[in-house]
Amino acid sequence: VYTMVNRKFADVVVSMYQGEHNLIWIHDYHLMMLPIQLRRKLTGARIGFYLHIPWPPSDVYRMLPVRDELLRSLLCSSLLGFNLFDYARHFLSCCTRLLDLDHHMKNGNINIEYAGRTSVIRVSHIGINPSRFTDILNSERVTREEERLHDMTRDAKIIGAIDDLDLIKGIPFKLLAFEKLLINFPHHRDQLVLYQVAIPRGVPTERALKEEIYALVDRINDDFGTDDYIPVIYVEKRLTLVERLALYRASDAFLLTPI
């Protein structure tokens, strides 16, 4: 299924490709088989791939049944990006130990040769602007929004959550887990609130996902809610930075459960 989905992406990209002046930029682990699918049809294309998650050490990675296939696909990229040097080092170690490939430095870049092509390995950190974040975090606007959240939850402990409204973000599973917590640990009722924000993305499965989430939220609130206590507060909107930071400040814990 994973390869089939990547192949569908490849078909769309190939249909839109307009020549060597185009750059194809691929993001993250969902599409790790896409570079090889594209390279078979677009031999001269410039393909970039950036991995947003850690790359494991070779002794862990080698346990994957499809370890070689993933490496060979990624090496069809012209440029491979990692968030930290350790992740790039682990990737290069996997290439050496599993594919017997060497790498070398040239013009300040790490290059690795595969199938007559050169892939450039880059480390590009992703982060935030700390000063802008801190300035807004300590602003009166955030304080007022935080106070509103505490008033809404009647000073219960807040479990915050912000996810895209997408199947892979696991919102229904999170709701089921919270429901089970309230069933198995009754003393936490009236004390914990799950404040779940879902950001609409317009994906094809969104309507069915919404219906499932609405049903779960209604069931939990009907079973465990009172006049003074709402176990799950579900918000479906794009948050402003002030609203996001206020939720960060107000929350006692943050729960992210992608699947």
Side-chain angles (χ1 to χ4, degrees):
V1 175
Y2 182 87
T3 302
M4 180 184 68
V5 170
N6 277 246
R7 190 176 296 119
K8 288 185 176 181
F9 270 87
D11 291 341
V12 173
V13 173
V14 170
S15 69
M16 299 175 65
Y17 186 70
Q18 297 180 358
E20 293 186 1
H21 63 283
N22 283 171
L23 171 64
I24 301 170
W25 197 238
I26 305 168
H27 285 271
D28 224 5
Y29 63 93
H30 316 84
L31 299 172
M32 290 173 70
M33 289 301 293
L34 184 53
I36 196 170
Q37 301 281 358
L38 293 174
R39 188 61 71 194
R40 288 169 179 164
K41 299 179 180 181
L42 306 172
T43 56
R46 294 181 299 158
I47 301 173
F49 185 97
Y50 190 88
L51 187 68
H52 292 262
I53 62 172
W55 188 277
S58 58
D59 57 337
V60 175
Y61 178 81
R62 68 187 302 172
M63 291 187 287
L64 283 176
V66 292
R67 54 191 177 271
D68 290 358
E69 290 87 342
L70 290 176
L71 287 176
R72 291 192 175 99
S73 177
L74 292 178
L75 289 170
C76 288
S77 305
S78 312
L79 176 68
L80 275 167
F82 297 89
N83 193 27
L84 297 177
F85 178 76
D86 281 349
Y87 305 159
R89 179 170 57 85
H90 292 326
F91 175 80
L92 292 170
S93 176
C94 290
C95 291
T96 299
R97 296 184 178 185
L98 299 175
L99 301 182
D100 196 27
L101 298 176
D102 292 326
H103 57 274
H104 59 277
M105 296 290 297
K106 184 177 181 180
N107 299 326
N109 294 318
I110 303 174
N111 295 344
I112 185 167
E113 309 286 340
Y114 174 71
R117 303 189 61 86
T118 300
S119 295
V120 178
I121 310 298
R122 292 289 299 273
V123 176
S124 304
H125 304 297
I126 293 180
I128 62 171
N129 183 332
S131 58
R132 176 172 179 264
F133 187 93
T134 303
D135 289 345
I136 300 177
L137 183 66
N138 296 321
S139 68
E140 291 185 7
R141 291 179 298 160
V142 171
T143 299
R144 287 196 298 268
E145 178 64 18
E146 181 186 8
E147 291 172 351
R148 187 187 71 83
L149 292 174
H150 283 303
D151 289 342
M152 184 187 305
T153 57
R154 298 181 182 271
D155 291 323
K157 298 293 184 182
I158 299 175
I159 301 174
I162 303 174
D163 301 280
D164 290 342
L165 188 55
D166 196 327
L167 280 172
I168 65 171
K169 298 304 180 180
I171 296 176
F173 293 107
K174 187 186 307 183
L175 291 167
L176 289 170
F178 186 68
E179 180 183 47
K180 190 169 185 178
L181 183 149
L182 296 179
I183 293 171
N184 293 342
F185 302 95
H187 60 281
H188 284 309
R189 299 172 191 173
D190 300 326
Q191 298 180 9
L192 286 179
V193 170
L194 175 61
Y195 194 102
Q196 174 67 61
V197 178
I199 302 173
R201 292 297 185 190
V203 297
T205 56
E206 196 170 277
R207 181 176 178 181
L209 179 60
K210 284 182 180 181
E211 292 175 355
E212 183 180 7
I213 291 172
Y214 296 162
L216 287 170
V217 171
D218 289 344
R219 186 174 80 193
I220 295 170
N221 287 339
D222 288 344
D223 289 348
F224 303 104
T226 65
D227 292 340
D228 298 321
Y229 172 62
I230 302 175
V232 179
I233 297 174
Y234 178 71
V235 178
E236 197 172 283
K237 59 177 282 191
R238 294 180 183 274
L239 296 183
T240 65
L241 182 57
V242 167
E243 291 171 325
R244 182 181 289 265
L245 295 182
L247 183 55
Y248 290 163
R249 274 181 42 171
S251 298
D252 297 275
F254 231 79
L255 192 59
L256 302 177
T257 56
I259 55 177

